[in-house]
Amino acid sequence: MNTTEPATPLIGSQYQSGDIAWTLASTALVWLMIPGIGYFYSGMARRKNALSLIMLSCCSVAVVTFQWFLFGYSLAFSKSGSAIIGNFENAFFRGVLDQPSVGSSKIPDVVFMLFQGMFAALTPALAIGAAAERGRILPTLVFIFLWTTFVYDFIACWTWSTNGWSFVMGGLDFAGGTPVHISSGAAALAYAIVLGKRSGDQKDFRPHSMSNVVIGTCFIWFGWFGFNGGSALSANLRAAMACVVTNLAASVGGITWVLLDYRHDRKLSVLGFCSGAVAGLVSITPGSGFVSPASSVAIGFLGACACNMAVRLKHYLKYDDAFDVFAVHGVGGIVGNLLTGIFAQSWVAALDGTTVIKGGWLDGHWMQLAYQLADSAAGMGWSFVMTYLILVIMNKVPGLTLRAKAANEHRGLDLAELGEPAYGHLDDEKAVSIQGVDHSMEIGRSVTGSTDSVNEGKVGSVSTLGRQQ
């Protein structure tokens, strides 16, 4: 009599392939946002620094991916970690394979680890925009490694680990209002303060390529469907709703910013639209898995208004955040967190079939706003203080001086530190006059000498509102 032994179950067969496929696709979408940030920043910069910003964004992926492998993932998401930080249980990706992930039982550890690694790589790429055009590249790479370890991993643990204090308290942050946006905005503010202002005439600090800004915005907006929608960690109605509200908030934010700028300049600013769309995306991020489409319209509008005002405030506070990272990501993240406490609804969270929350003010849960405020304040304070300490200490270490020499800053970091221009093989050094005026910015100038009014209207800020009057 022949007997057949039961077949050994295939590793990972308990998971739905559609859930894994959606999360992996979302991982790729989030990755695409990172060079998108590089192109956005590149277009905002002067021509002589354009390539260095794309380079730094791509290097952020490489540096953080290695850190994530060494111990970053374990510090943020080890299952036996504390309320503040994880441990080294999963260092070198030990035991990270087919077990249900800490984020969701619907996907395995290895998929969750890869998805969250993209968030970790994207966040410092946002923060370093504040140091544009004057921060040395090698120390910036060291900073990315240290910052991810001592800032991002801690805040991600608080927010998303099942042991984290904010998660246990009841804070709602679907896709990174605090770990990504508030932390990067606070870090950018600290970086700008430590480095000091850029040298040169502020009138020269205008975007050199609006095409790059638009391309970067398209990559960012496109990738945000994976950023927010993928945070459902499953292919379900909650993921679909997250995509709906993400697109709505971005659209409303872009239109709102354009209209706010139009009141002052009577121009329909392309840069204003791009800035407003990003502000809307940032503001909807923490609530994207908790709010309805109608609420997302309000969040996109209020987020764009708050960020627009914050850009203008920069000139009164006298700090040089080159691309207004704090004004857009820091302020936008705080506004989004607080509005989540008001607009979160239990029926939206329940669209995945498993999540149960008390909701926010719309559901009569008044304490939710206090939870959101505590989470935002803790993330803001930790990121700013730790970033400031990291930078001050680094600046005292031989070889890690943060700011480029005056001659290299004048020449441009592309040629001074990379040895390559962003555009072709032109003699870019001739574009910088001996008086220190960066004539390479005169991209919009025609042969007859007339100046492109669009480029001329965007001096020193992501918005015409940021221009000093």
Side-chain angles (χ1 to χ4, degrees), residues 57 81 86 138 161 165 241 304 390 423 437:
S57 293
L138 180 59
S161 172
W165 67 263
M241 181 62 77
I390 291 169
Y423 303 99
V437 178

Side-chain angles (χ1 to χ4, degrees), residues 118-143:
M118 295 301 105
F119 283 64
L122 179 145
T123 307
L126 291 172
I128 58 179
E133 304 195 311
R134 63 205 189 279
R136 291 177 58 218
I137 293 175
L138 180 59
T140 302
L141 299 181
V142 175
F143 168 78

Side-chain angles (χ1 to χ4, degrees), residues 145 214 259 404 409:
F145 187 94
V214 173
L259 295 178
E409 188 177 344

